[in-house]
Amino acid sequence: MAIRERLSGNEAVAYAIKQVNPDVMPAFPITPSTEIPQYVANYIANGEIDTEFIHVESEHSAMSATIGATAAGARAITATSSCGMALMWEELYVAASNRLPIVLALVNRALSGPININADHSDSMGARDSGWIQIYAESNQEVYDNFIQAFPIAEDKRVHLPVMVCQDGFITSHGVENILLAEDAAVKKFVGEYDPEHYLLNASEKMAIGPYAVSNYYMETKRAQRQAMINAREVILEVAARFEKMTGRKYGFFETYQMEDAEYAVVIIGSAAGTCKAAIDEIRSITGKKVGLIKIRVFRPFPEEELAEALSKVKAVAIMDRSEMFAATSGPLGAEVRAALYQARITAEVVNYFYGLGGRDITVSDFKTVYKNLETIAETHIVTDMYEYIGLRREQTEEV
């Protein structure tokens, strides 16, 4: 029986942590993820869980302690945002290369500079090649569901990779929504007990974590990580199928919205997908134009073939990036989607948009303009600029 609640995204993650009851949580506060360890600390103080909370002096130490706890055989988690994850950078690669099934709650926030505490995806996208699985949420419900699914994905013996569960800072992390929670017993059964095969405190096995790898071994390690990421594709779908049986909520690599007959499509990540859906409903009801949306849930491993198939019949695609990459033609999501379409020999016209950087708002009207532009591009086959900024005050940028 589902439990109806009203929770912010941070509360939803903390509640999932309470249900999972991990062994160890090292954490250091940083806006807008601070509430997550705060709520967990309250659960511990009230005797609701027996997780060991470690007060550390920085985010680098938080990830270091999480790595140490996981290597020792514990189920360990942490949470952070923005510059906090940037301080973890070195340790992100250590966690992935040592194949440690850590779960990280990342509340997406713009990286400095200039200093900004609002949502964009520059923190997680900067770490996209670190070897972590990355799962994104549109809503508070999704971040709760994704967090619970992260444990059996990370801990599966075919995978053994860390998982980053991402949500948009303040938009979902602090916004309160109606949410359906699974019962504690069901979550515990779904996640199961963590039973590592190899760990440092196993007295019967001699092993080392993080040894120096000479040239004869480093490349093989990276190839093994790639194989684990390939294996994760199957495991992610298996876990999603089990989760659907438990809750009735269906998940995959991405969500399609009104894509059955769509001629013009937007590809996006995160909370702005909800605004885009509202624009789609309005456009279809008023004009009947066939517009649709693909919302990426799993960015690593990237679902290249599946995404190309989903876009195979559209005339034009707008790829929406909430993070700059300063590349010649696109942002991080744009680069991945373009490669997928090229590999599949799909001839749809493609344009990239940057939106929402530093928390800049995007509206239904903005998405309607995007779809109107796609229609023009499909008719003329002319893309004036390979990428555009939505909501940019041009008079300021032209003076720079």
Side-chain angles (χ1 to χ4, degrees):
M1 179 70 69
I3 303 164
R4 294 183 178 273
E5 257 293 2
R6 291 181 182 177
L7 299 175
S8 70
N10 281 345
E11 288 177 305
V13 169
Y15 196 89
I17 292 171
K18 183 181 80 163
Q19 291 181 309
V20 173
N21 192 14
D23 299 308
V24 182
M25 183 179 186
F28 190 84
I30 181 169
T31 302
S33 66
T34 300
E35 289 181 327
I36 296 174
Q38 175 189 335
Y39 289 130
V40 173
N42 285 337
Y43 290 140
I44 295 169
N46 294 336
E48 296 178 70
I49 55 175
D50 57 6
T51 301
E52 184 70 27
F53 191 92
I54 303 178
H55 300 269
V56 293
E57 71 274 14
S58 72
E59 290 87 356
H60 186 282
S61 299
M63 183 52 67
S64 297
T66 308
I67 288 170
T70 307
R75 177 181 273 163
I77 65 167
T78 189
T80 195
S81 296
S82 183
C83 303
M85 197 178 72
L87 190 54
M88 293 179 175
W89 224 258
E90 172 192 12
E91 300 304 312
L92 294 177
Y93 284 82
V94 173
S97 62
N98 284 321
R99 307 291 297 280
L100 299 174
I102 292 165
V103 175
L104 166 67
L106 179 68
V107 183
N108 286 115
R109 168 191 146 187
L111 279 167
S112 297
I115 295 172
N116 183 286
I117 64 167
N118 297 307
D120 73 22
H121 298 156
S122 53
D123 47 7
S124 57
M125 285 300 169
R128 65 190 180 276
D129 300 328
S130 61
W132 284 62
I133 293 169
Q134 291 189 341
I135 305 177
Y136 289 80
E138 173 190 343
S139 65
N140 302 6
Q141 182 71 67
E142 287 185 11
V143 74
Y144 168 80
D145 294 348
N146 289 343
F147 200 84
I148 290 171
Q149 291 178 68
F151 292 92
I153 294 169
E155 294 167 3
D156 191 287
K157 291 180 180 180
R158 292 166 289 177
V159 179
H160 263 264
L161 288 174
V163 177
M164 194 179 294
V165 180
C166 308
Q167 65 168 316
D168 288 348
F170 292 107
I171 299 170
T172 61
S173 67
H174 286 64
V176 176
E177 294 180 3
N178 292 330
I179 188 172
L180 292 175
L181 304 170
E183 293 181 333
D184 292 356
V187 171
K188 291 185 187 303
K189 182 179 179 182
F190 179 83
V191 172
E193 293 292 330
Y194 180 45
D195 184 24
E197 186 177 359
H198 306 288
Y199 53 99
L200 289 173
L201 295 184
N202 183 353
S204 63
E205 181 181 41
K206 293 181 180 179
M207 63 177 293
I209 294 290
Y212 174 65
V214 296
S215 302
N216 295 343
Y217 295 96
Y218 185 89
M219 189 178 293
E220 285 73 18
T221 299
K222 292 302 170 185
R223 179 60 183 85
Q225 284 180 250
R226 171 175 285 278
Q227 189 59 49
M229 194 68 79
I230 293 169
N231 296 346
R233 293 166 55 85
E234 180 180 4
V235 174
I236 287 167
L237 296 181
E238 289 176 2
V239 170
R242 286 206 296 121
F243 190 82
E244 184 180 5
K245 287 182 180 178
M246 181 176 75
T247 65
R249 295 190 288 276
K250 185 178 180 64
Y251 288 96
F253 296 131
F254 50 80
E255 175 193 341
T256 59
Y257 188 77
Q258 299 283 16
M259 283 297 297
E260 295 81 3
D261 62 347
E263 296 178 342
Y264 315 105
V266 162
V267 181
I268 202 166
I269 291 176
S271 59
T275 308
C276 188
K277 290 173 183 176
I280 289 169
D281 292 343
E282 188 172 326
I283 292 169
R284 282 183 172 260
S285 65
I286 295 173
T287 69
K289 291 179 179 177
K290 298 173 180 179
V291 296
L293 167 74
I294 293 180
K295 180 190 71 185
I296 301 294
R297 173 180 177 247
V298 179
F299 186 76
R300 284 288 184 270
F302 192 76
E304 178 180 292
E305 294 177 0
E306 294 84 353
L307 183 60
E309 174 62 27
L311 292 169
S312 60
K313 297 178 181 178
V314 302
K315 296 178 180 178
V317 183
I319 309 163
M320 312 290 288
D321 267 292
R322 200 162 196 163
S323 175
E324 245 296 9
M325 195 168 78
F326 305 108
T329 58
S330 66
L333 180 59
E336 301 280 350
V337 177
R338 285 178 188 274
L341 296 178
Y342 177 83
Q343 187 67 23
R345 294 179 171 82
I346 291 172
T347 57
E349 300 290 352
V350 180
V351 64
N352 208 170
Y353 288 97
F354 292 100
Y355 77 98
L357 303 184
R360 183 70 56 90
D361 197 17
I362 185 167
T363 66
V364 169
S365 177
D366 291 327
F367 280 111
K368 290 167 71 175
T369 300
V370 168
Y371 284 114
K372 184 178 179 181
N373 291 346
L374 285 180
E375 188 177 1
T376 301
I377 290 170
E379 289 174 357
T380 63
H381 301 287
I382 297 172
V383 180
T384 1
D385 289 303
M386 294 305 291
Y387 60 87
E388 290 274 4
Y389 291 82
I390 293 177
L392 187 70
R393 296 196 303 279
R394 296 185 182 278
E395 67 277 7
Q396 289 189 6
T397 60
E398 288 170 358
E399 294 172 0
V400 175

